[in-house]
Amino acid sequence: MSITATVFESLKRVSENVTRVYQSGIAVGLNQAGEVVKNEFWDDFTDSGTRTNYGYAFRHWGCEYIRPTRKIIPTDNQSGCNTFFKNTKLKKVEAAYFDFSQKGRGTNSQQGYYYTFYGCSALEEVEDIGMQADYGYSAAFSNCPELHTIAKIRCDENTGFTETLDYATALENVTFEGVIGKNLNVRWSKKLSKDSITNIVSCLSDTASGKTLTLSKTAVNNAFTDAEWTALADTKKNWTVSLL
Amino acid sequence: MRRILFANEGKVLTNGEIYGKVIYLAESVDESNFYEITEQEYDQIMLEEDRGGGDYA
């Protein structure tokens, strides 16, 4: 792309109320003297694409979107720890900019998705950024009161869900992929859709014992007839299903 | 047939680990261990269990 084209793109983005050009990930920016300069922030931040550990990387950032010029591809298993913790303005985490599919699986909770998006109080949507089944999602999406869509939570029989969706009061759409083998509590999500509830129940392990799924009574009553819900719940009689 | 427990109005059922207003019991769970608490007691228990942590220095 020519310098002219990149400057045009920069100004176009500015006109879209993206006020922090360097954080929006535009490769060419304007310095304080108004001169066109190469924006080296993302090159430095990613060690020119060689950085492997993104644990705490975006903790307490203050921008609405994080759009690096280089795709963030963590490999270190610590990379899910506090990664976007308390980004209070962050609105969306976009798949075009993040790929966690190569992150190593953790062997303890802090090496899983630990408080990953905790306290992102303006966060509305997390696209499928490739998070794979991991040790757990401890408080990963906790205290995100505007979060309405989580495209994908991959899990297996051993994945933990301690406080994963605590206070996710706006959650409507979430898709689990894999097997849910441990207690899951989604009681705060009164707007959870029928498809999402059906998906969650369908992912419950067929062999787990002594486990509990907790759902919002309001969400279930709004989504299902009594007969529909009873039939769905009965597909997983090895699970206690609690409505609160 | 799956056993279903219903809490009375304003109450929450619990066995100390599981909480609910309507509880579809797994086959392995003993219903005799469940008792009712008030919603206020339930809220207090949840408040005390809320760690609110993760903010590491």
Side-chain angles (χ1 to χ4, degrees):
Chain A
M1 186 181 287
S2 69
I3 288 289
T4 303
T6 52
V7 169
F8 174 79
E9 193 58 33
S10 299
L11 293 174
K12 182 169 174 291
R13 293 291 294 279
V14 170
S15 73
E16 292 169 358
N17 293 321
V18 179
T19 56
R20 305 299 290 273
V21 170
Y22 77 86
Q23 286 187 335
S24 70
I26 298 170
V28 176
L30 302 176
N31 66 11
Q32 288 184 340
E35 299 161 324
V36 175
V37 295
K38 183 176 184 293
N39 182 355
E40 297 180 321
F41 172 79
W42 286 113
D43 287 340
D44 290 346
F45 189 83
T46 65
D47 286 336
S48 299
T50 65
R51 180 174 176 175
T52 59
N53 186 348
Y54 284 87
Y56 298 85
F58 307 101
R59 176 176 145 101
H60 289 301
W61 279 35
C63 44
E64 295 180 341
Y65 302 93
I66 300 174
R67 292 170 170 165
T69 54
R70 292 176 176 273
K71 194 164 192 174
I72 304 296
I73 308 177
T75 55
D76 191 290
N77 63 9
Q78 298 273 8
S79 296
C81 182
N82 280 249
T83 317
F84 300 91
F85 182 92
K86 286 191 179 178
N87 257 247
T88 57
K89 294 181 182 175
L90 186 65
K91 287 193 172 179
K92 189 174 182 179
V93 180
E94 299 165 290
Y97 300 98
F98 299 93
D99 178 4
F100 279 76
S101 65
Q102 298 179 42
K103 172 192 168 306
R105 185 187 181 109
T107 58
N108 60 53
S109 58
Q110 289 193 37
Q111 292 177 358
Y113 288 101
Y114 186 78
Y115 287 78
T116 313
F117 303 97
Y118 179 95
C120 289
S121 50
L123 184 63
E124 297 175 0
E125 182 175 354
V126 179
E127 293 184 344
D128 183 359
I129 58 172
M131 294 186 292
Q132 301 298 304
D134 211 304
Y135 184 91
Y137 288 87
S138 296
F141 304 97
S142 176
N143 284 266
C144 297
E146 301 296 325
L147 182 60
H148 60 71
T149 299
I150 303 171
K152 193 76 67 168
I153 296 179
R154 293 181 182 83
C155 54
D156 61 27
E157 193 93 26
N158 299 310
T159 301
F161 295 103
T162 305
E163 300 178 10
T164 303
L165 290 161
D166 281 20
Y167 303 105
T169 50
L171 192 65
E172 296 178 35
N173 307 301
V174 60
T175 302
F176 285 76
E177 181 181 292
V179 177
I180 298 170
K182 298 197 175 184
N183 292 347
L184 176 63
N185 194 335
V186 203
R187 73 176 193 267
W188 294 266
S189 304
K190 294 184 179 180
K191 300 178 183 178
L192 202 58
S193 70
K194 185 175 185 178
D195 283 349
S196 297
I197 296 171
T198 303
N199 162 259
I200 290 171
V201 174
S202 73
C203 288
L204 297 179
S205 165
D206 291 321
T207 57
S209 178
K211 302 302 177 185
T212 303
L213 168 67
T214 306
L215 294 165
S216 158
K217 186 166 179 284
T218 299
V220 169
N221 288 347
N222 286 343
F224 298 94
T225 64
D226 287 347
E228 286 175 334
W229 170 246
T230 300
L232 182 62
D234 277 355
T235 60
K236 303 287 177 177
K237 288 185 178 179
N238 57 316
W239 279 75
T240 292
V241 180
S242 171
L243 306 184
L244 262 172
Chain B
M1 183 177 290
R2 191 199 268 269
R3 292 157 298 148
I4 307 172
L5 305 182
F6 295 88
N8 289 311
E9 186 69 29
K11 297 295 181 71
V12 175
L13 285 162
T14 183
N15 65 353
E17 291 182 356
I18 301 168
Y19 296 86
K21 294 188 175 182
V22 181
I23 301 179
Y24 296 73
L25 290 176
E27 293 162 337
S28 61
V29 177
D30 185 352
E31 67 178 287
S32 68
N33 292 329
F34 282 84
Y35 54 93
E36 283 187 335
I37 58 175
T38 65
E39 289 181 349
Q40 290 77 14
E41 288 171 325
Y42 168 73
D43 290 340
Q44 185 60 36
I45 291 168
M46 292 301 107
L47 205 60
E48 290 166 4
E49 286 187 359
D50 186 3
R51 293 180 302 172
D55 197 352
Y56 294 90

